[in-house]
Amino acid sequence: VEEEILRNGPENVAAFVVPQPGVACVHYPGLDSHPQHERAMRLFRRQGALLSFELDAAIDCFDFLDALDLVVKSSHLGDTRTLAIPVAHTIFFEMGPEQRRQMGIAESLIRLSVGIEDYDDLQADFAQALERTRGAASVPSAPVPVAQAGTR
């Protein structure tokens, strides 16, 4: 199951989400843009099934999560299903907004634990949720998934 998760999703989901309107930034060590990418590549064979991303301030993270059809809203990790939670409002809730801000935890931060669903299904779910929550603008076409692009 772990092999299926790692082959099918996290890096491709991260690469898809990065250029999307409505996404402010993506945190995933498998992306070249991650500040610890080189270190992660030296130390780990794979970059894991967890990633996080921040939505633009104009998008409410709860509206976005509610718009997802396939992704399950849950604080669990490592499931066969893809799971998402609003980090500031769950894990770091008791710290309060000021301390979260000082720690660099955005109110719009979403943590994602990628499951074994088909990548195309996950991509479609994120695309429709972003489109629904940011308005009528269409989501640009996705880049070729990393696994298919032959970069690894």
Side-chain angles (χ1 to χ4, degrees), residues 111-152:
R111 184 188 73 194
L112 197 63
S113 175
V114 179
I116 62 171
E117 299 91 348
D118 183 73
Y119 166 72
D120 292 335
D121 293 339
L122 287 172
Q123 175 186 319
D125 198 26
F126 283 108
Q128 67 81 24
L130 285 165
E131 185 171 339
R132 285 172 52 190
T133 55
R134 72 166 192 270
S138 64
V139 174
S141 60
V144 175
V146 175
Q148 294 177 12
T151 60
R152 300 249 250 185

Side-chain angles (χ1 to χ4, degrees), residues 67-145:
L68 292 167
D69 294 324
L70 180 64
V71 176
V72 177
K73 281 59 84 183
S74 173
S75 62
H76 189 63
L77 299 170
D79 201 293
T80 56
R81 302 165 299 171
T82 296
L83 311 171
I85 63 167
V87 176
H89 307 281
T90 54
I91 299 169
F92 295 101
F93 175 76
E94 292 183 5
M95 293 183 168
E98 180 58 29
Q99 190 169 2
R100 287 192 298 267
R101 188 189 61 72
Q102 290 174 2
M103 294 174 62
I105 299 168
E107 296 297 305
S108 65
L109 184 65
I110 304 288
R111 184 188 73 194
L112 197 63
S113 175
V114 179
I116 62 171
E117 299 91 348
D118 183 73
Y119 166 72
D120 292 335
D121 293 339
L122 287 172
Q123 175 186 319
D125 198 26
F126 283 108
Q128 67 81 24
L130 285 165
E131 185 171 339
R132 285 172 52 190
T133 55
R134 72 166 192 270
S138 64
V139 174
S141 60
V144 175

Side-chain angles (χ1 to χ4, degrees), residues 55-70:
L55 298 168
D56 287 341
I59 297 178
D60 181 272
C61 65
F62 294 105
D63 290 343
F64 173 78
L65 289 170
D66 287 344
L68 292 167
D69 294 324
L70 180 64

Side-chain angles (χ1 to χ4, degrees), residues 11 14-15 18 26-37 47 146:
E11 193 168 273
V18 166
V26 177
H27 309 282
Y28 182 69
L31 294 174
D32 291 339
S33 60
H34 191 277
Q36 299 296 319
H37 175 74
Q47 303 311 304
V146 175

